[in-house]
Amino acid sequence: DLSNSNSGLVIPTPNSQNETGLKMQMVIPIPNPKISKTLSSKLYHFAGVVIAICVRTTLVQQFCFPSFVWQYIVDGNLDIQAIFDIDNNYKKKIQALQRVISNNSFDGYEYEDNFVVMNLRGESIPLTINGQNEKLDLTNITKYISLAHEYRLNELRPHLDAIKNGFWENIDICEQPLYLDGLTLEYAACGETEVSFEDLKKHTVFRIDEHQQDLFWKVIEQLTSEERTLLLQFATGVPRIPPNRDPRDPFLKVDKLSGSDRLPRSSTCFNQFHWPRYSSFEKALKLVRMAISYGGTLDD
């Protein structure tokens, strides 16, 4: 739910909304306006707890947050580059204003010329009491940029603070590790970003005959990384292989399901993928894809 905008706790990045730039598949912690500040703070605190539980238990999840969210949990720092990374249109406007300052002229400037800024939801927000009518000129551009940056950073800080506090309260260690950075934390909470054929092969054991094992691996080879993520979600309840898992401790267990040429099933509590006997690769691929795409977790 922390990667789903229907939760009311996250929205797609501005780049996703505007279909421009990078990080278009990610979400950022901005609450639905109908959620009170008190409640949203509690919910983001709980989100931090959930992330900590994923780290402690190695039950990794696919949190679709930009890198600055993870780095903020580590050190509490946020700079305007983080906003530029998720909002290409805002970056272009600021760059255009900086050219105005450099050239001492508004020639070629194509943006709104008043004291308003687009927030992360794409809404126009006045930066001063009379911002809708206050015009930009060569004497106040620096003031505008400063106010705009401050507003855009403060949109995120309260929610990031609540996530950060929830995370570290749940981890409950005396001193934060000096070696920890955002990338390491993201890896601990989310695992590898890709589910490769090789990694899955290292962490799978079978209780089916060799012919059916060969069919299973032919199917896995044919699946995309996204489909392998769906298969893990279907079979284990988590979308990624936990980081640094000992290969001697198998993660996915493929066993026999009675019947033939039918949909597979799963027991997510035991990381079991129940594989019926398939008469051909084509039927196996079709039915596995159908199960993982539409079945969610068909748990016993």
Side-chain angles (χ1 to χ4, degrees):
D1 286 347
L2 287 176
S3 294
N4 189 332
S5 56
N6 291 332
S7 68
L9 295 178
V10 296
I11 62 171
T13 63
N15 283 350
S16 176
Q17 300 169 40
N18 300 320
E19 298 184 347
T20 180
L22 303 175
K23 305 188 189 306
M24 292 174 60
Q25 306 302 318
M26 296 184 173
V27 295
I28 49 178
I30 294 293
N32 187 305
K34 295 180 180 179
I35 301 177
S36 70
K37 289 184 179 180
T38 300
L39 178 57
S40 67
S41 180
K42 290 180 180 179
L43 291 173
Y44 286 125
H45 185 277
F46 179 68
V49 171
V50 170
I51 293 171
I53 290 171
C54 292
V55 171
R56 290 193 295 101
T57 63
T58 71
L59 294 175
V60 294
Q61 293 294 326
Q62 193 173 5
F63 300 112
C64 298
F65 293 137
S67 56
F68 73 79
V69 173
W70 302 104
Q71 191 60 44
Y72 195 94
I73 294 174
V74 173
D75 61 22
N77 292 325
L78 184 68
D79 60 34
I80 202 61
Q81 185 59 48
I83 306 300
F84 288 164
D85 288 346
I86 61 171
D87 193 342
N88 200 45
N89 285 352
Y90 180 69
K91 178 181 179 180
K92 287 181 177 179
K93 179 172 183 176
I94 296 301
Q95 289 174 336
L97 286 172
Q98 290 170 337
R99 285 194 295 272
V100 168
I101 295 172
S102 177
N103 298 331
N104 201 36
S105 170
F106 274 91
D107 290 346
Y109 183 73
E110 300 176 351
Y111 296 87
E112 292 183 31
D113 62 351
N114 48 14
F115 263 64
V116 298
V117 67
M118 300 294 286
N119 68 10
L120 289 165
R121 289 186 175 277
E123 302 161 335
S124 183
I125 304 295
L127 293 172
T128 60
I129 294 176
N130 196 33
Q132 295 285 2
N133 301 314
E134 186 175 353
K135 298 299 182 181
L136 278 172
D137 59 43
L138 294 174
T139 67
N140 62 17
I141 293 177
T142 301
K143 175 185 175 183
Y144 173 88
I145 293 175
S146 177
L147 290 175
H149 284 359
E150 182 181 7
Y151 179 86
R152 295 302 300 271
L153 292 171
N154 286 337
E155 279 187 279
L156 286 163
R157 279 198 180 105
H159 319 312
L160 293 174
D161 279 334
I163 294 172
K164 178 176 180 286
N165 292 339
F167 177 86
W168 287 110
E169 285 178 21
N170 189 265
I171 292 292
D172 193 24
I173 57 177
C174 297
E175 189 173 337
Q176 184 175 319
L178 295 176
Y179 56 81
L180 185 63
D181 59 21
L183 285 174
T184 305
L185 177 58
E186 182 180 8
Y187 177 68
C190 303
E192 294 285 357
T193 56
E194 299 286 326
V195 180
S196 71
F197 177 84
E198 292 75 17
D199 280 346
L200 201 54
K201 201 161 189 175
K202 291 177 187 175
H203 297 283
T204 302
V205 294
F206 292 97
R207 291 180 181 174
I208 56 177
D209 64 51
E210 289 188 8
H211 174 64
Q212 293 299 313
Q213 289 181 38
D214 290 341
L215 282 181
F216 175 86
W217 288 124
K218 284 184 69 176
V219 168
I220 296 300
E221 273 191 301
Q222 190 66 30
L223 298 181
T224 65
S225 178
E226 291 77 12
E227 287 174 324
R228 291 177 196 138
T229 293
L230 290 175
L231 186 143
L232 280 180
Q233 186 81 53
F234 176 88
T236 70
V238 296
R240 306 280 171 80
I241 297 171
N244 302 319
R245 191 177 180 93
D246 189 337
R248 294 170 297 182
D249 180 20
F251 182 61
L252 180 63
K253 306 174 183 69
V254 183
D255 59 13
K256 184 163 56 174
L257 178 66
S258 62
S260 60
D261 294 336
R262 54 176 292 193
L263 291 170
R265 299 188 68 181
S266 66
S267 297
T268 54
C269 289
F270 303 100
N271 292 2
Q272 291 177 325
F273 188 74
H274 307 308
W275 179 270
R277 175 168 289 277
Y278 289 110
S279 57
S280 68
F281 161 71
E282 291 75 18
K283 288 183 178 179
L285 179 63
K286 177 182 178 180
L287 290 166
V288 167
R289 275 183 166 155
M290 187 181 300
I292 64 178
S293 298
Y294 302 107
T297 52
L298 300 182
D299 197 282
D300 285 343

